[in-house]
Amino acid sequence: MSKAYPKNYRLPAEFEPQEAVWLSWPHNKESCPKTFHRIQDKFGEIASSISRYERVRINAPMLSHMNIRLSIADNEGDLSQVDIYENLTNDVWCRDHGPIFIKHNETGQVAVTDWNFDSWGGKFPHDLDNQIPAKAAAALKMEHFTSEFTLEGGAIESNGKGLLLTTEAVLLNPNRNGGKARTKAEMEKELKAMLGVTDIVWFKQGIEGDDTDGHIDDLVRFIRDDAVICMVESKETDPNFKVLKQIREQLDDVRLPGGGKLEIIEIEMPNSIEMKDWRLSRLPASYANFLILNNAVMVPIFGQKKKDQFAEDIIAECFPGREVIPVTCKDLVTEGGALHCIAMTQPK
């Protein structure tokens, strides 16, 4: 039996109108023993902020549902905007294990694409995480397309008009797909068939300390279909200097499907955050890990007053009419990600 691919769908951009944001609530203490309670508090703060702009859809065990509602209420969130599903997860990274939504070009109908999730090459338990897209599709009564290929939502960035950005270090990594590396041609064919993209730009690798092997959402993000924010590093001694310089230069050569050039807005990386006696000796902190909402943008900050403020100001200029909400992300990034990594956007 041949597999059914979506017909006439596309991968929307995150700056397009949204129906909801999905989160997977922290409930597994083993996944973050040092920061567990602080991260639960942080999720309460983040979910409350989102609820003021759009629906929040939360995966969580039944035992946590009451506490989640209390946490959102304590943070003055709008509980009428919160849906909680009894979906168990191994960890909190919903951008990567959650459903990747596509939208029909003519009807605007939204469907779920469900890829294999193997916890960035089998680094952590992921049996429950890998079930989330199918459960979300069932809860939403949405059409559901599956792929055997491994893909995480944080590994791809779409302008909504056919252009997709990604990294070789993730999608072509032999640690994905049960140790059977996909070729670039195989991967491109599947991305185009599943997500309706037409042009794919490959960058080589990501930033230091990134558990995922180098997700695009710490590097380059679309703010409009013809403009991106790109992270840069000015210290030549920093291990990210060469990587980000190469990406920045490559962006100059990117052409939009219509032939135009991208507008490129640079933001300086935060100063490196080192951790002693920890799984990550350097944390993958990046201002590119912002989360776009309907009338707001949540921006990760790292307790670096000058750099944080600069990033907030630039992002505010990039999204006129959207409120900028700074969120301290030191605990989140200790576990390996920030705002974009924990949230999956459901288009309207």
Side-chain angles (χ1 to χ4, degrees), residues 236-264:
E236 290 191 27
T237 51
D238 191 288
N240 288 325
F241 176 78
K242 270 189 181 158
V243 172
L244 295 175
K245 184 171 187 278
Q246 189 179 3
I247 290 169
R248 175 64 189 84
E249 287 167 359
Q250 204 178 328
L251 281 168
D252 282 330
D253 300 328
V254 172
R255 290 294 171 270
L256 296 161
K261 288 182 79 163
L262 279 175
E263 183 186 342
I264 302 156

Side-chain angles (χ1 to χ4, degrees), residues 10-132:
R10 67 182 180 93
L11 179 63
E14 196 170 305
F15 51 74
E16 295 180 44
Q18 298 175 11
E19 180 71 30
V21 168
W22 284 76
L23 301 172
S24 293
W25 205 267
H27 65 87
N28 173 13
K29 202 168 182 177
E30 283 171 28
S31 71
C32 52
K34 275 189 182 178
T35 56
F36 183 64
H37 296 293
R38 294 198 305 275
I39 280 189
Q40 285 191 316
D41 292 343
K42 184 56 67 176
F43 264 69
E45 175 196 329
I46 290 165
S48 306
S49 291
I50 296 168
S51 75
R52 293 180 204 123
Y53 298 92
E54 60 196 83
R55 294 204 82 71
V56 191
R57 298 198 154 129
I58 297 168
N59 302 307
M62 186 56 83
L63 281 172
S64 308
H65 290 198
M66 184 57 79
N67 283 340
I68 290 170
R69 290 187 182 281
L70 287 171
S71 176
I72 292 171
D74 285 348
N75 282 280
E76 295 173 7
D78 181 353
L79 283 173
S80 71
Q81 288 284 79
V82 178
D83 305 315
I84 310 180
Y85 300 92
E86 191 182 0
N87 295 337
L88 299 183
T89 58
N90 304 96
D91 214 332
V92 300
W93 310 111
C94 197
R95 174 66 50 175
D96 291 349
H97 64 235
I100 297 176
F101 293 97
I102 51 175
K103 192 166 179 172
H104 197 274
N105 287 320
E106 284 156 18
T107 64
Q109 185 181 337
V110 176
V112 164
T113 69
D114 178 357
W115 304 71
N116 180 50
F117 176 72
D118 67 2
S119 194
W120 319 285
K123 294 185 178 81
F124 306 98
H126 51 266
D127 55 321
L128 299 170
D129 289 345
N130 197 27
Q131 298 172 38
I132 291 299

Side-chain angles (χ1 to χ4, degrees), residues 74 120 145 213 217 238 260 266 268 276 306 323:
D74 285 348
W120 319 285
F145 299 96
D213 304 308
D217 64 0
D238 191 288
E266 297 179 1
E268 178 80 24
K276 283 194 169 65
K306 205 171 161 186
E323 191 177 343

Side-chain angles (χ1 to χ4, degrees), residues 50-306:
I50 296 168
S51 75
R52 293 180 204 123
Y53 298 92
E54 60 196 83
R55 294 204 82 71
V56 191
R57 298 198 154 129
I58 297 168
N59 302 307
M62 186 56 83
L63 281 172
S64 308
H65 290 198
M66 184 57 79
N67 283 340
I68 290 170
R69 290 187 182 281
L70 287 171
S71 176
I72 292 171
D74 285 348
N75 282 280
E76 295 173 7
D78 181 353
L79 283 173
S80 71
Q81 288 284 79
V82 178
D83 305 315
I84 310 180
Y85 300 92
E86 191 182 0
N87 295 337
L88 299 183
T89 58
N90 304 96
D91 214 332
V92 300
W93 310 111
C94 197
R95 174 66 50 175
D96 291 349
H97 64 235
I100 297 176
F101 293 97
I102 51 175
K103 192 166 179 172
H104 197 274
N105 287 320
E106 284 156 18
T107 64
Q109 185 181 337
V110 176
V112 164
T113 69
D114 178 357
W115 304 71
N116 180 50
F117 176 72
D118 67 2
S119 194
W120 319 285
K123 294 185 178 81
F124 306 98
H126 51 266
D127 55 321
L128 299 170
D129 289 345
N130 197 27
Q131 298 172 38
I132 291 299
K135 288 182 172 178
L140 298 170
K141 299 182 171 57
M142 270 185 190
E143 201 162 359
H144 174 225
F145 299 96
T146 57
S147 173
E148 295 163 5
F149 284 55
T150 298
L151 182 70
E152 304 104 34
I156 52 173
E157 179 69 11
S158 165
N159 77 338
K161 293 198 169 169
L163 182 58
L164 186 87
L165 312 179
T166 190
T167 58
E168 294 178 13
V170 175
L171 266 60
L172 308 183
N173 198 317
N175 69 2
R176 302 301 201 274
N177 299 295
K180 296 183 285 287
R182 302 287 185 183
T183 65
K184 193 178 273 191
E186 287 174 325
M187 206 71 220
E188 288 208 354
K189 189 178 174 191
E190 190 74 0
L191 289 166
K192 287 175 178 179
M194 288 290 289
L195 303 176
V197 294
T198 52
D199 298 76
I200 299 170
V201 175
W202 295 87
F203 301 110
K204 281 272 183 261
Q205 66 194 84
I207 58 171
E208 282 286 302
D210 185 353
D211 265 334
T212 72
D213 304 308
H215 272 180
I216 191 73
D217 64 0
D218 279 331
L219 308 169
V220 184
R221 300 283 308 284
F222 281 106
I223 58 157
R224 299 193 310 271
D225 59 27
D226 61 352
V228 293
I229 280 175
C230 169
M231 297 308 298
V232 294
E233 176 54 67
S234 58
K235 289 192 287 294
E236 290 191 27
T237 51
D238 191 288
N240 288 325
F241 176 78
K242 270 189 181 158
V243 172
L244 295 175
K245 184 171 187 278
Q246 189 179 3
I247 290 169
R248 175 64 189 84
E249 287 167 359
Q250 204 178 328
L251 281 168
D252 282 330
D253 300 328
V254 172
R255 290 294 171 270
L256 296 161
K261 288 182 79 163
L262 279 175
E263 183 186 342
I264 302 156
I265 296 121
E266 297 179 1
I267 294 184
E268 178 80 24
M269 285 287 278
N271 299 325
S272 88
I273 306 173
E274 312 288 337
M275 286 289 274
K276 283 194 169 65
D277 308 320
W278 185 234
R279 177 168 61 78
L280 307 165
S281 58
R282 176 171 178 163
L283 304 184
S286 169
Y287 297 116
N289 212 269
F290 56 82
L291 178 67
I292 306 171
L293 306 175
N294 280 336
N295 289 302
V297 190
M298 302 181 78
V299 178
I301 56 170
F302 305 101
Q304 302 176 16
K305 207 168 177 185
K306 205 171 161 186

